[in-house]
Amino acid sequence: MFQTLQEVLTLRLGITVLQRSCGKKGGKPTLLTSLFPPLFSDMLPLDLLSFVLERDPSKLQAGGVRGVHFSSPHSSLSFPSSQLLANCDLFPKEFSIVVTLKVTHIAQKVNICGNPDIVTEEQLSVALERSCSDQLQGQLWFNPVKKGLYLCDGTGWITVLEDRKRLDYVQEHQVLTTSSETHDIEVFQVPGMGLMAAMAHRSKASGSAVYLWTHSRFKLYQNISTHEALAWRHFNIGKKVFLVVSNSGGGTYNRFESQMEFSVIYKWSKKRKQFVRFQSLQTFCARDWEAFTINRQNYLAVANHRLGNNNHTINSVIYKWNRTRKSFEIHQLLPTSGAYDWEFFTVGPYHFLVVANAFNGVTTSVDSVIYVWVNGRFQPFQTIKTFCATDWEMFQIGSRVFLVVANGHRLHGNEPSRYAINSTIYELDMKGQIFVRFQDIITYSALDWEFFSLGEEHFLIVANSFNGESYSLNSILYRWQGYEGFVPIHWLPTIGCSDWEFFTSKGDSYLIYSSAKAPLSKVFRLKTY
């Protein structure tokens, strides 16, 4: 069994040594060896796994975990430094060990006394894309394009090893001519179809559209009748795929709905291979939908912006999926002021829902509210002063939890609007149990933030839409710099930018933006090295 496992996973150590004249004082650091054995024939990789197993096979497994645990010095791990430094009598001051994992071949599925420690073909798959589910828990997946090894934990893929990507530059990839100006894009996966994008078009005549990612391009796939659509949201209930649209204009679906606004849920039909109307819900100038799951129960939250033309202080609604009736029903009403966006997130065992309140009928200086889930209902957790808040984005960097708000503009009464204002990043103070201001970033009537990661780098991109004079201005990409926060690195020309979405396909990373002022959207490819 030991030999079989050793053949499957061979751990090799290449040694790069920096020292001062082989341990002598003074002098500049000299590179004695490298990871390229042909250049240094006296320095060969050390198969540490074989080295340890020969001395103490019991090191292979401890506490149910297979492998070698380097927690403290042990006699079985001791060896003369001459085995590493063949031509140096003194151990160097500085050195590094580079660990590489090499899969030499996959063992055939065998049964040795019922021992499950053999890695089989069923436990390791090689593919460009792979789904993770409860049935695949413990499955390993190797992506040859990303050069990454991942472990399924039942809900998602945990990175075991991955080639570290770094952003080099942003390249225009596709200019997508649309039938109308677009307020929002939702990118999602449909099993058996692949990557899709739903675009919320302003025009009633053309409706909205769903695009399919084919040969690294978005192509029109389905038109859907909508009425001044402002947003789409994709969600799953079990294996069923749904889309819900935020309609802000009145539409006639039947003779009973002619005088009211209704937003519509669509369900993916495997037979027809398109989205079909599933359920309509009365809304009031709906700006956004948020789908989430708590304790295996499915919910939808709608951001009702206003009733009529002037009443912005109205209820937004939380709907709950009724498993028996197979439909959504009202679960809770929450008072909002010109609600523009909902963002759901979880921190440990706690579930939060934050609303972006934009306007109360007099001023855009209003409180946005963070709610926390307690005993089956949302209760206020914290209020944050915002200025025509249009979007919240939650993200994590390591163990740190952040919320960033997109502030649209300052307006009070008859005073002129100010569009160049700060949008703010807040960080969760775990001890104080409160979000505190972390960083202010100047934005121009910001409508959206999008967070994404490439390798170990983290980014935020803002949708700047208007500076008071022009809709043609730069939307800015920021990179996380630790103590410095987010710093600008790329300025991307946009026209009335209303939304950004990040997505990946076959190892490549992309950004797409929608324009609320021109009938186009653009796809950018993120070039990495």
Side-chain angles (χ1 to χ4, degrees), residues 379-517:
Q379 297 182 9
F381 171 77
Q382 182 182 350
T383 59
I384 295 178
K385 183 68 68 178
T386 53
F387 303 91
C388 189
T390 56
D391 180 61
W392 284 101
E393 179 88 348
M394 177 271 185
F395 59 94
Q396 290 184 253
I397 299 178
S399 60
R400 301 172 69 177
V401 177
F402 297 91
L403 271 177
V404 58
V405 64
N407 283 322
H409 65 277
R410 286 177 180 261
L411 171 67
H412 185 82
N414 296 323
E415 297 177 3
S417 294
R418 292 170 51 192
Y419 298 97
I421 60 174
N422 283 329
S423 291
T424 303
I425 302 171
Y426 298 88
E427 181 176 6
L428 179 60
D429 180 347
M430 297 292 187
K431 293 183 179 180
Q433 297 184 355
I434 190 173
F435 281 92
V436 297
R437 184 185 301 268
F438 174 77
Q439 182 182 359
D440 289 323
I441 298 177
I442 188 74
T443 54
Y444 301 87
S445 193
L447 292 178
D448 181 61
W449 284 103
E450 179 79 353
F451 174 83
F452 63 94
S453 299
L454 291 175
E456 295 185 352
E457 291 189 318
H458 309 289
F459 302 89
L460 274 175
I461 188 166
V462 65
N464 284 324
S465 67
F466 185 59
N467 63 5
E469 297 179 353
S470 174
Y471 295 100
S472 298
L473 65 163
N474 291 324
S475 290
I476 302 176
L477 178 63
Y478 299 85
R479 179 168 57 206
W480 173 253
Q481 294 282 105
Y483 181 76
E484 300 174 71
F486 285 90
V487 299
I489 57 169
H490 291 291
W491 288 256
L492 305 179
T494 54
I495 302 172
C497 186
S498 57
D499 188 34
W500 282 102
E501 287 289 310
F502 170 81
F503 65 96
T504 60
S505 176
K506 296 181 179 179
D508 292 322
S509 300
Y510 300 88
L511 284 169
I512 182 172
Y513 96 86
S514 60
S515 171
K517 293 299 176 181

Side-chain angles (χ1 to χ4, degrees), residues 37-229:
L39 300 178
F40 299 90
S41 58
D42 59 344
M43 175 58 67
L44 298 176
L46 175 66
D47 190 341
L48 187 57
L49 186 58
S50 297
F51 185 86
V52 174
L53 292 181
E54 288 176 2
R55 297 190 175 201
D56 187 359
S58 66
K59 289 292 176 184
L60 183 69
Q61 182 160 337
V65 179
R66 297 188 300 276
V68 181
H69 186 200
F70 300 92
S71 61
S72 60
H74 193 277
S75 58
S76 66
L77 298 178
S78 301
F79 51 86
S81 61
S82 60
Q83 291 186 235
L84 297 178
L85 309 172
N87 298 322
C88 185
D89 296 331
L90 300 177
F91 199 79
K93 280 187 175 181
E94 301 176 44
F95 70 98
S96 61
I97 300 178
V98 180
V99 181
T100 58
L101 183 67
K102 179 181 179 183
V103 179
T104 55
H105 82 277
I106 305 301
Q108 296 293 325
K109 185 177 181 180
V110 293
N111 185 8
I112 302 178
C113 300
N115 195 319
D117 290 340
I118 306 298
V119 178
T120 68
E121 291 182 1
E122 286 77 11
Q123 291 174 296
L124 176 62
S125 60
V126 179
L128 295 180
E129 294 182 359
R130 193 80 166 89
S131 61
C132 175
S133 62
D134 289 336
Q135 292 76 16
L136 295 177
Q137 187 169 0
Q139 174 87 25
L140 285 170
W141 164 44
F142 178 74
N143 187 319
V145 175
K146 289 186 176 182
K147 299 178 183 177
L149 183 65
Y150 310 92
L151 175 68
C152 176
D153 67 354
T155 58
W157 293 102
I158 300 174
T159 301
V160 179
L161 292 172
E162 189 174 61
D163 188 25
R164 295 183 180 180
K165 286 185 177 181
R166 296 183 65 85
L167 179 62
D168 193 2
Y169 60 92
V170 180
Q171 179 184 51
E172 186 177 288
H173 181 75
Q174 181 185 8
V175 178
L176 193 62
T177 302
T178 55
S179 61
S180 173
E181 300 89 342
T182 305
H183 289 282
D184 177 73
I185 299 176
E186 176 81 345
V187 180
F188 56 96
Q189 290 275 353
V190 174
M193 294 296 297
L195 194 71
M196 287 185 154
M199 298 193 181
H201 294 328
R202 172 182 293 176
S203 172
K204 291 183 181 180
S206 61
S208 294
V210 176
Y211 290 80
L212 178 65
W213 184 255
T214 305
H215 303 299
S216 299
R217 292 287 191 277
F218 278 117
K219 294 184 178 180
L220 180 62
Y221 183 80
Q222 180 184 356
N223 288 308
I224 298 178
S225 177
T226 55
H227 301 270
E228 299 178 22

Side-chain angles (χ1 to χ4, degrees), residues 188-191 233-244 265-271 274-276 278 291 293 298 321 323 326-328:
F188 56 96
Q189 290 275 353
V190 174
R233 182 67 64 196
H234 152 267
F235 61 96
N236 295 333
I237 298 179
K239 295 182 179 180
K240 307 296 184 182
V241 180
F242 296 88
L243 271 178
V244 58
I265 302 171
Y266 297 87
K267 179 183 176 183
W268 177 256
S269 170
K270 293 182 179 179
K271 187 175 183 179
Q274 64 179 12
F275 285 97
V276 296
F278 177 76
T293 302
N298 298 97
W321 176 254
R323 296 177 178 176
K326 304 295 183 184
S327 62
F328 281 96

